[in-house]
Amino acid sequence: KKEHEIMVRNIAAQAAITLDNSQLFEKVKSLSEKKDEFIALASHELKTPLTTIKGYLQILEKKIEEPKSKLFLSKTLDQANRLNILIDDLLNMSRIEAGKLEFNYEEFDFREMLFELSETYNYSEISHRILPDIGDKALFIKADKQRIEQVLNNLLNNAIKYSPNADKVYLKLQENHNKVTVIVKDEGLGLTPEQQKNVFNRFYRAESTKGINGLGLGLYLTKQIIDAHNGKLGVKSEEGKGSEFFFSLPLKNEIL
Ligand code: ADP
């Protein structure tokens, strides 16, 4: 009888803990949802005035002739664009957390996208040259054009940002079997195996790159986007030598 009593007591104690835990879990979940809602709201509110600022700056940039003023204006516009990207990252992160990131799939020439993107980078005043090795054959895929462009921008910007002592970034396109693979290669700071395991986690920033600006969201968003396309994303890297970020997308994607 005594044994039975102890058993009942133990079960009751366990039940109390479980109940407590589940209440705690609900509480944490609701707080976390509130935080994501706040981030969504705040980034939306920040974006509205910024869009107006950018609009007026673009008008002024066309009107102003005096070289120094033109230069200052273009630098201001660059920073406004940077701010816009940061806010978009926050907005997208909160959409992912709420399961509300939407995708619009369409067919387009992927090779052409890579070509135009490298032209845009090479025509703007950046510290690095993008060296494309993408063939000359059209390569149609079905994907969310805007989001895939966002992925490419993330990888190219990172390759530039994290290779301060280099001046080249390699962009390669490969077609094999039923998939296309893109490789973005830099000769920069590189990552240890441990860091490579963590780079796709939300807010992760490698210790060795802390001096360089960032939120630790770009690769997390990149991973979500590639996953949603049934693709694969990965990294090969050697500390001090450079990194290769690559992703593949299915050529014929019946699921989308
Ligand atoms: P952010 O650049 O804003 O920090 P990301 O999610 O794009 O955010 O990258 C996460 C981290 O991964 C970076 O902080 C950096 O430590 C590392 N990383 C990303 N790309 C590279 C690269 N090409 N070379 C070296 N480290 C990189």
Side-chain angles (χ1 to χ4, degrees), residues 22-23 47 57 65 92 95 107 139 233 245 254:
S22 79
Q23 276 165 355
K47 218 177 143 73
L57 285 175
E65 301 285 338
N92 284 326
R95 282 189 191 135
E107 269 196 48
L139 206 56
L233 170 70
F245 281 85
E254 268 94 37

Side-chain angles (χ1 to χ4, degrees), residues 106-122:
E106 60 183 305
E107 269 196 48
F108 62 90
D109 181 355
F110 193 33
R111 186 218 160 254
E112 176 155 323
M113 175 185 270
L114 293 178
F115 175 74
E116 306 234 311
L117 213 58
S118 41
E119 292 276 288
T120 310
Y121 276 77
N122 287 335

Side-chain angles (χ1 to χ4, degrees), residues 23-35:
Q23 276 165 355
L24 192 66
F25 176 75
E26 283 307 318
K27 183 109 192 123
V28 171
K29 196 167 151 233
S30 125
L31 279 174
S32 165
E33 279 167 7
K34 282 218 172 69
K35 177 210 66 185

Side-chain angles (χ1 to χ4, degrees), residues 158 161-162 186 191 199 204-206 209 214-216 218-219 243 245:
N158 277 352
K161 198 161 82 163
Y162 297 111
D186 66 60
L191 294 155
V199 278
Y204 178 80
R205 310 205 63 227
T209 59
L215 287 179
L219 287 179
S243 310
F245 281 85

Side-chain angles (χ1 to χ4, degrees), residues 93 117 121 126 170 173 182 191 224 226 228 255:
M93 180 203 75
L117 213 58
Y121 276 77
I126 50 166
Y170 302 86
L173 175 67
V182 172
L191 294 155
Q224 310 301 316
I226 298 300
I255 305 166

Side-chain angles (χ1 to χ4, degrees), residues 128 156-164 189 205 212-215:
H128 293 54
L156 287 170
N157 285 329
N158 277 352
I160 295 171
K161 198 161 82 163
Y162 297 111
S163 61
L189 304 170
R205 310 205 63 227
I212 299 169
N213 288 339
L215 287 179

